[in-house]
Amino acid sequence: MRRRDLAALLTTSGGLLLGPACSPRIAPVPTSPDIDRDPLADLDPQLWPARSAAEMLEVPLAEGVPDSEAWSQLSTDDDLRPARQQLVDFLSVAYLDPEPLSALDEEAAHARVAQAAPAFWQEELQEAWAGGTRYFYAIAFAAGFRSVGRPAIAVQWLRGETEDGGPTLMVGGTLAWSVLDTATRAVGVIAYRYGIVADLAEDGALDQAQLRVTIHGVDGCESFEEGLLVPALADTEPHRAAQERTHAAIIASPQVSRDDLVHSDSLVFSGDESTNILCD
């Protein structure tokens, strides 16, 4: 994509945000002779506590219950388990297993993700597929690329409140994949930073939610045709720089804080072009 076209996508689209982020550390790149064949094999489990949907649900809610009337009926973790399960079911289908979605055509991929999505996201899903921006809501790779092993998942669950005192369930962090170019055997990473703030009904059911996403480690010159991603794995300086930046900015700092989730103008979701390849 041309730089100005991709830049236009670095803004909210149906409650989602496409972009990259920031921080400074150099990691091995896909074409380095000393790179581990799985760049995500030795991550800190304190920062990356999960590798599956089931393990996401095992991560406990952080902090105590807010001392307010809104939470008087939702005081235990069990009260929120159905809402947490619904969010994880969506994340699992949309992001945690790219291979099935990569093998489906557009219509079938949309049907698969829509089946797992809450009712209040159905219209946005339809618009994303119709508008060619389905990568906001689902990871699927272009031909010749595939994921390797299980995803690395940074996740934090939090309780919060709306401005008028209603309960909210928040979850955020980073999803990362080791990816392979099957032609060159180059290995690298892509990452999705994500944040969900969900308003809850009195019984703890999901009422409405906003999802924000940033994408990192992709080749924007080649990606996004039919919503399929091309990881930045070529043996060129821009591709190596995008991988280095993705490791330094995203993989090294995968957490999303309460403030990042609460504030819609958080810099975590504002974007950093250096983690992706852009075209003039």
Side-chain angles (χ1 to χ4, degrees), residues 11-244:
T11 55
T12 303
S13 175
L16 295 126
L17 196 68
L18 169 64
C22 55
S23 174
R25 168 183 154 287
I26 302 300
V29 296
T31 50
S32 298
D34 58 344
I35 191 170
D36 189 316
R37 294 309 293 173
D38 182 357
L40 302 177
D42 299 316
L43 297 176
D44 183 348
Q46 296 298 315
L47 298 178
W48 301 85
R51 286 279 184 169
S52 68
E55 291 176 2
M56 287 187 78
L57 283 171
E58 291 174 5
V59 175
L61 284 150
E63 305 176 8
V65 180
D67 183 17
S68 69
E69 184 65 26
W71 286 99
S72 61
Q73 303 300 316
L74 303 172
S75 58
T76 70
D77 288 4
D78 287 344
D79 294 327
L80 298 180
R81 189 163 186 87
R84 294 176 75 195
Q85 183 72 62
Q86 190 174 3
L87 293 177
V88 167
D89 286 347
F90 168 75
L91 293 172
S92 178
V93 171
Y95 304 117
L96 299 188
D97 193 0
E99 299 307 317
L101 292 180
S102 299
L104 297 175
D105 62 29
E106 275 196 89
E107 184 177 349
H110 174 247
R112 183 180 178 91
V113 175
Q115 185 175 19
F120 47 74
W121 280 342
Q122 295 299 321
E123 184 176 346
E124 291 178 1
L125 279 178
Q126 187 66 50
E127 291 175 356
W129 254 260
T133 58
R134 78 185 213 193
Y135 40 79
F136 281 131
Y137 282 97
I139 299 177
F141 296 121
F145 299 91
R146 58 167 298 174
S147 57
V148 179
R150 298 194 298 165
I153 305 169
V155 56
Q156 180 175 214
W157 295 93
L158 297 163
R159 294 178 176 90
E161 294 183 3
T162 62
E163 291 184 358
D164 58 3
T168 63
L169 174 63
M170 300 183 288
V171 59
T174 301
L175 311 171
W177 281 101
S178 295
V179 290
L180 171 71
D181 183 330
T182 59
T184 68
R185 313 307 291 177
V187 177
V189 300
I190 67 163
Y192 272 54
R193 182 162 278 166
Y194 68 99
I196 300 175
V197 178
D199 297 346
L200 302 177
E202 290 184 0
D203 62 357
L206 295 179
D207 185 39
Q208 184 58 263
Q210 181 190 35
L211 169 65
R212 287 181 289 168
V213 173
T214 63
I215 305 175
H216 313 269
V218 301
D219 185 339
C221 298
E222 303 293 338
S223 289
F224 310 130
E225 182 179 355
E226 298 181 355
L228 302 178
L229 298 176
V230 174
L233 300 181
D235 187 11
T236 69
E237 180 54 35
H239 282 244
R240 289 192 292 270
Q243 284 289 316
E244 290 172 359

